[in-house]
Amino acid sequence: METKTNTVGFKGKVVDESGEALEGAHVSILDYPSFNGVPYGVLTDAKGDFSISDFSINNYSKVAISYVGKEQVTDIVLNLNYKTIVMKDAFTNLPGYTGTYKKKPCWLCIAVLTALFGYSVYSK
């Protein structure tokens, strides 16, 4: 495998499985010298976009992309550059996890409204 020593720009977009941009995903260069054990990286903006252009990375530099609640994506710059990176949920294998949150009525709120106004919102 040939490794190039020239510097390349590294750009992309990070989204979830539904295509929604992930703001604050951490894109780190694993081959770049770290600071106190923390790898160099950038965070994605509100649109999920990131750009690294001012450091000496090449097409075969290792990259890790992480976000809370998502599976980490690790690959080389060549495979990820100028692409949309889709991050999958990390908790889909938990028993009882459906991936959605169902809103339930606030029974205390209903009781207070019933006491104040004298009728129930659920009465027929």
Side-chain angles (χ1 to χ4, degrees), residues 77-114:
V77 171
L78 182 65
N79 294 338
L80 300 175
N81 208 5
Y82 296 100
K83 293 189 177 152
T84 299
I85 298 135
V86 179
M87 299 193 78
K88 297 179 181 178
D89 286 338
F91 302 113
T92 55
N93 294 334
L94 294 176
Y97 176 77
T98 61
T100 58
Y101 173 75
K102 186 176 180 182
K103 255 188 174 175
K104 296 180 181 176
C106 173
W107 294 110
L108 179 61
C109 300
I110 293 171
V112 169
L113 290 173
T114 302

Side-chain angles (χ1 to χ4, degrees), residues 14-15 20-26 43-49 66-67:
V14 180
V15 298
E20 226 176 288
L22 292 177
E23 178 181 6
H26 189 255
L43 296 176
T44 56
D45 63 14
K47 296 178 184 177
D49 296 324
S66 56
Y67 191 81

Side-chain angles (χ1 to χ4, degrees), residues 24-105:
H26 189 255
V27 181
S28 56
I29 306 299
L30 300 178
D31 293 344
Y32 199 79
S34 61
F35 177 74
N36 290 337
V38 177
Y40 168 76
V42 297
L43 296 176
T44 56
D45 63 14
K47 296 178 184 177
D49 296 324
F50 67 90
S51 176
I52 300 173
S53 59
D54 51 348
F55 286 87
S56 297
I57 59 174
N58 62 52
N59 283 328
Y60 297 98
S61 295
K62 291 181 186 172
V63 178
I65 303 167
S66 56
Y67 191 81
V68 176
K70 304 291 182 189
E71 291 180 2
Q72 182 172 327
V73 175
T74 306
D75 209 334
I76 60 172
V77 171
L78 182 65
N79 294 338
L80 300 175
N81 208 5
Y82 296 100
K83 293 189 177 152
T84 299
I85 298 135
V86 179
M87 299 193 78
K88 297 179 181 178
D89 286 338
F91 302 113
T92 55
N93 294 334
L94 294 176
Y97 176 77
T98 61
T100 58
Y101 173 75
K102 186 176 180 182
K103 255 188 174 175
K104 296 180 181 176

